[in-house]
Amino acid sequence: MAAALFLVYTAVSLRVHHRMLSNSYDLGIFEQVVRSYADGHLPVSELKGPGFPVLGDHFSPVLALVAPFYMLHRSAATLLVVQAALIALSVVPLALWARRALGSLAGAVIGACYGLSWGIASAVGFDFHEVAFAAPLLAFSLAALGGNRPAAAACWALPLLLVKEDLGLTVGVIGLVIAWRGTRRLGFVTAAAAVAGTLLTLLVILPAFNPNGSFAYWFLADSPTGTSGAGAGSGPLDLLYRSTVGLVTPQTKLSMLTLVLAPTVFLAVRSPLLWVAVPTLVWRLFSNNYVHWGTGYHYSLVVMPIVFAAFVDALVQRGTGRASLRRYLAASAAVTLAVLPSFPFWQLFSPATWRSDPRVAVAHSLMKKIPDDATVQASTYLVPQLTNRTSVSLYGYPVSRPSPQWIMVDTWVAARWRWPLTFEAERALLNQSRAQGYRTVADRDGFVLLHLTHRPERTPVFGDLDASKHKG
C-alpha cells in the first residue's frame, strides 16, 4: 500500500512541477536550502533576500538529510520524490497498528483512507515542505503510544523539534499523553524537553540567525486587517475574542475543523491522542493569515496522522464489534471518496494533467541561454526551474537582489495567477528594466528574457511595492 501511494504522490507532484505549476514560494526556497546543505554550508535562500540565513526564518535542520539525495540528482524533483517517500512511509505504522488491533480489513481501509485523505492530497499537490518529515515521525510515535510502548513513542516524537519550531508544542502534548497513560516520569521529561527546546529555538536560535534579531512570525498574532465586531482593534478584548469565538469564525475555520474529523466519522474526538493536534490547530485558527484557516496548501499534513491515530485508538478503546467496526470503516471510506474529487489526487484522472503545454518547451529553451551560477530574477513559476543551477530570486519582489544579470518573465496575459506583480505593474517594470541597461535576448510565446549589458547608476525601484506589506 505504501509503495502504491508513493507512486501516486510522486506522479501528482512531478506532473505539477513538469507542467511549470510549482512555485518560488515554497519549492524554490526549499531547494535553495537543500542546495546549500549539499554544497557544504549553512542554508541560505536568495528568494528570502540576498544571502538570507534560513535558520533565522524557520528552524528546520532536518532538511540536511535531503542533501545526500540532492547531490545524486540536483533538481527540485528530488525534493518532491523525497516528500512522496516520507508521506508514504507514514502509512505503514498506522496501517500495521490497525491490522494488529482490529484485523486485516481495518488495516487496509484505515491505511488507504489515511493515505488518500484530503490533507495529504493538499500537501502533495503544493510543492515541498519540511513538515513532510513530521508525518512519519508522528505516525510512528502515536502508533507506539497506542500500542503501549511509551519509550518508543517519546523517541519517535523528540526529533520533531528539528523539523519546525512550532512542533515542539506537539511533542509536549505527546509527553503529557504519555504521562496521562501511566508512564509519568517519561512523559513529564518528554514534555519538559519539548518546552525547553521550543523556547531555545524561538528566543535564542532563530533571533540569532535572523537579520532583524527576532522570530520572524510574531506578526501572525496581530489582529487581522479589517477585523470587525467584538474582536475589532487590539488589546485584551481582541485577544479574548480571537481565543474564543474567533477560533471558529469565519465559517472557513469551522468548515476546516469539520473536514478534519469527518474521515474518522468524528470518532477521533473520543481519543486523548487527538489532543496532540491541538497546538497546530490553535496556531492556525489564531493566525491572522487566512490561508492558515482553510483546507489548502500543506497546513493539514501534520494533522492527518494524528487524527487517524486517534481514530484507531478510539476504535480499540471502544471494543467495537465486527458489525459496528464495518460500519465505521465503510463510513470513513465513503467520506474519503466523496471529497477526493475536490483535491489534487483527482488530477491523475484529468487528461490535461498528462498533456504537455508547448509553452513549457519554449520556456526551457530560453532558460538554457542563462548560464550556470548567474544571478536571475524570474516569474514565480519559472523560479523552481532555475534554482538548481542559478542564484535566482522573484521578479518584482521587494527583497529580491537588485540588478540581476538576467531577467525572465512570463508576460502572457492568460498566464496563471500573478504574484507579486499585476500584469500592468509587471509591464511597467519591464520597460523600466530596459531603460536601465537590459537588452531583450528573446521574446517568444509571452516569455521575455533580458540580459544586463551595463550596470545601472542606481538601484532599481521595484514599482510601488512596499516591503513592509509582504513580511513573512
Side-chain angles (χ1 to χ4, degrees):
M1 182 181 293
L5 289 168
F6 167 71
L7 294 177
V8 171
Y9 303 160
T10 302
V12 170
S13 57
L14 288 185
R15 284 307 297 163
V16 169
H17 181 58
H18 290 160
R19 294 167 65 205
M20 288 202 325
L21 296 174
S22 50
N23 301 269
S24 57
Y25 281 61
D26 294 315
L27 181 57
I29 290 175
F30 282 113
E31 185 178 3
Q32 290 179 337
V33 170
V34 173
R35 183 180 172 186
S36 298
Y37 282 124
D39 291 340
H41 57 80
L42 290 177
V44 296
S45 175
E46 190 79 358
L47 285 158
K48 300 289 293 186
F52 185 91
V54 177
L55 288 177
D57 186 56
H58 288 300
F59 185 68
S60 304
V62 72
L63 290 171
L65 297 178
V66 186
F69 301 98
Y70 189 79
M71 293 169 70
L72 296 174
H73 183 62
R74 298 174 74 91
S75 167
T78 299
L79 278 68
L80 298 174
V81 173
V82 168
Q83 175 173 261
L86 288 168
I87 298 176
L89 177 61
S90 68
V91 175
V92 175
L94 294 175
L96 290 180
W97 174 28
R99 189 179 71 176
R100 285 193 305 267
L102 300 166
S104 297
L105 178 64
V109 173
I110 290 174
C113 289
Y114 165 71
L116 296 173
S117 61
W118 64 266
I120 287 179
S122 294
V124 168
F126 180 65
D127 295 353
F128 169 92
H129 296 89
E130 73 283 83
V131 290
F133 282 92
L137 290 172
L138 282 166
F140 277 105
S141 177
L142 296 177
L145 185 53
N148 198 28
R149 293 181 290 125
C155 289
W156 282 111
L158 286 171
L160 288 166
L161 293 168
L162 304 178
V163 175
K164 198 174 180 184
E165 63 277 355
D166 64 292
L167 291 173
L169 298 178
T170 301
V171 179
V173 177
I174 291 176
L176 295 178
V177 175
I178 291 173
W180 182 81
R181 291 206 161 183
T183 314
R184 291 182 175 274
R185 182 176 180 180
L186 175 63
F188 289 135
V189 168
T190 301
V195 171
T198 301
L199 292 176
L200 177 66
T201 300
L202 292 178
L203 302 181
V204 179
I205 298 176
L206 287 168
F209 281 97
N210 191 285
N212 294 324
S214 65
F215 177 48
Y217 296 97
W218 291 125
F219 74 89
L220 290 175
D222 296 341
S223 296
T225 303
T227 299
S228 60
S234 60
L237 287 179
D238 173 67
L239 182 62
L240 177 62
Y241 176 82
R242 295 176 61 199
S243 302
T244 52
V245 178
L247 292 178
V248 291
T249 56
Q251 179 66 35
T252 304
K253 298 181 180 181
L254 191 58
S255 298
M256 182 270 290
L257 290 174
T258 301
L259 205 55
V260 162
L261 295 171
T264 73
V265 204
F266 298 91
L267 196 63
V269 297
R270 299 191 178 188
S271 168
L273 297 186
L274 190 62
W275 284 100
V276 178
V278 169
T280 296
L281 291 174
V282 167
W283 79 252
R284 287 178 58 188
L285 298 172
F286 191 81
S287 168
N288 62 21
N289 189 340
Y290 71 92
V291 302
H292 296 154
W293 306 342
T295 57
Y297 307 103
H298 60 288
Y299 298 110
S300 295
L301 177 58
V302 171
V303 179
M304 289 295 107
I306 301 171
V307 168
F308 276 88
F311 184 35
V312 177
D313 186 58
L315 289 171
V316 172
Q317 297 302 321
R318 290 181 82 247
T320 309
R322 180 173 298 183
S324 180
L325 175 62
R326 287 178 180 272
R327 285 195 295 270
Y328 280 120
L329 295 176
S332 178
V335 172
T336 301
L337 293 174
V339 301
L340 196 61
S342 301
F343 292 91
F345 291 156
W346 200 251
Q347 294 176 16
L348 295 177
F349 300 99
S350 171
T353 300
W354 306 104
R355 286 197 296 263
S356 295
D357 185 345
R359 297 184 72 247
V360 172
V362 173
H364 281 287
S365 68
L366 296 185
M367 284 186 278
K368 289 179 180 178
K369 298 178 182 293
I370 302 174
D372 293 352
D373 299 320
T375 57
V376 186
Q377 281 192 26
S379 299
T380 185
Y381 296 102
L382 300 175
V383 166
Q385 313 295 327
L386 291 163
T387 41
N388 65 325
R389 63 181 187 88
T390 68
S391 179
V392 61
S393 53
L394 182 60
Y395 185 65
Y397 201 55
V399 300
S400 293
R401 184 182 293 275
S403 306
Q405 296 167 319
W406 296 82
I407 292 173
M408 186 168 173
V409 181
D410 183 0
T411 64
W412 196 30
V413 177
R416 316 164 190 96
W417 171 67
R418 294 179 180 275
W419 181 75
L421 300 174
T422 64
F423 176 77
E424 292 76 14
E426 180 181 88
R427 182 171 52 188
L429 186 53
L430 281 172
N431 291 333
Q432 180 180 328
S433 298
R434 291 186 178 99
Q436 292 175 334
Y438 287 88
R439 70 176 179 88
T440 302
V441 176
D443 187 347
R444 291 174 53 195
D445 285 357
F447 294 107
V448 175
L449 179 63
L450 305 179
H451 179 49
L452 182 63
T453 55
H454 65 269
R455 291 286 177 183
E457 297 181 358
R458 62 184 181 84
T459 300
V461 178
F462 293 132
D464 296 323
L465 284 174
D466 180 358
S468 66
K469 296 178 181 178
H470 299 271
K471 55 187 177 179

